Amino acid sequence: MKLDASGLQSFAPHRADPDNLYPDLSAPPSFDLPGCPDFDGFQKKAIQTVKPAKGTTTLAFIFNEGVIVAADSRASMGGYISSQTVKKIIEINPYMIGTMAGAAADCQFWHRNLGIKCRLHELANKRRISVTGASKLLANILYSYRGMGLSVGTMIAGWDETGPALYYVDSEGGRLKGKRFSVGSGSPYAYGVLDSGYRSDLSIEEAAELARRAIYHATFRDGASGGVASVYHVGPNGWKKLSGDDVGELHYKYYPVVPAIVEHEMADAPPA
Amino acid sequence: MSIFEYNGSALVAMVGKNCFAIASDRRLGVQLQTVATDFRRIYRIHDKVYIGLSGLATDAQTLYQRLVFRHKLYQLREERDMKPETFASLVSAILYEKRFGPYFCQPVIAGLGGDDQPFICTMDCLGAKELAKDFVVSGSASESLYGACESMYKPDMEPEELFENISQALLASVDRDCLSGWGGHVFLVTPTEVQERTLKGRMD
């Protein structure tokens, strides 16, 4: 039994393949369904197993010099930290990047799938796809899998002919255009820092510092965020990774422990 | 996440040569949100008995207050301090009293008993004692702690080496747990003195 994915079918002309040497090339991607007696019950259990609370912090904002994209690098399974070195900023093509929040496998697979589709568009139309178009492709795919338990909360950031662009796309099928987004369990903390420090006329270094601080504050307060704060910048010539700082060290940089200069001190014994 | 992991905690106690060390993390959280980074989990009953309480923080505080009350009463009646073995039995009895509505805590008790021999033990939330000769762990990071202690522990360590080992074991384990960490607290107790130190750890 195969899942009906005809919504994903492209309308490109079918290439001449009379001997059927490449049957899978133009077939729409499809996934085998498990052959079990209670499919709905199994699906419910599978969704519960995969459904993490999007334990992460990612953010992106547009300013005069382009788009800044930043994320932490922790992967957690409930209370256990499974990795502190996950790449959550995925490079779709040299001028577009996406962030990963939710199930890692879902984000990695569908971002790569989006990269493939963007390249096919370039080849078929002899021009780069716009960020609007790319985000719409992803949103339509995710909408067609709505309710099946995919967990994806991503931001697509890029620079196309209209200038810098930023879209938020999620696995419920939502797609929003905006200037400032933060996604994940640490996003409330990141928003606090981001919203209070944001100005559209920031320089690239100031904007990167704002993003780094926002991620750092989120990792401090949120248990499911941590590791390394990566900051990327998307400009007219494409994206560039600006920094990747360990948040453990960022803490002591932002709040250095100042030794108290005390000659003699009378103090009560510490409480038991 | 279970009720034991609601606040997040990490506790470990290790035995050395005529000394013991008991260490905890410093985070207090409400599920994933960190609310405090200076929370005390280890309490002093008297100079030679310390108790660490992991699990639900409100139950840990209430249980500690009840134990202090009972120990003070004991001191008035017996005109001496409780031995750690006796104290462990007291904690076990108090926990079992609440068998059908327990305190959601897992205590770790460490002390110097007769002849200043180190004594450590841990219990589950219903009071089942587990005595150990080397180390005991408790908290949301307990599985990581078991692994770290098992590999780092050596018998008959001197106080300085014991402090190094317990600190490394604690910091390595809480770095694999979302719900504990944000620094550490170590008490190193020998027959003559008590050293309390704060550890600098990852604050994420």
Side-chain angles (χ1 to χ4, degrees), chain A residues 172-188:
Chain A
E172 313 306 302
R175 173 174 166 266
L176 297 171
K177 183 172 160 75
K179 282 186 174 287
R180 227 184 304 165
F181 287 114
S182 176
V183 181
S185 58
S187 62

Side-chain angles (χ1 to χ4, degrees), chain A residues 81 220-221 223 227 246 252, chain B residues 32 34 176 182 200 202 204:
Chain A
I81 298 176
F220 181 73
R221 281 287 172 182
D246 184 306
Y252 296 105
Chain B
L32 286 176
T34 305
R176 276 288 175 185
W182 277 256
K200 193 167 126 162
R202 286 185 66 96
D204 65 354

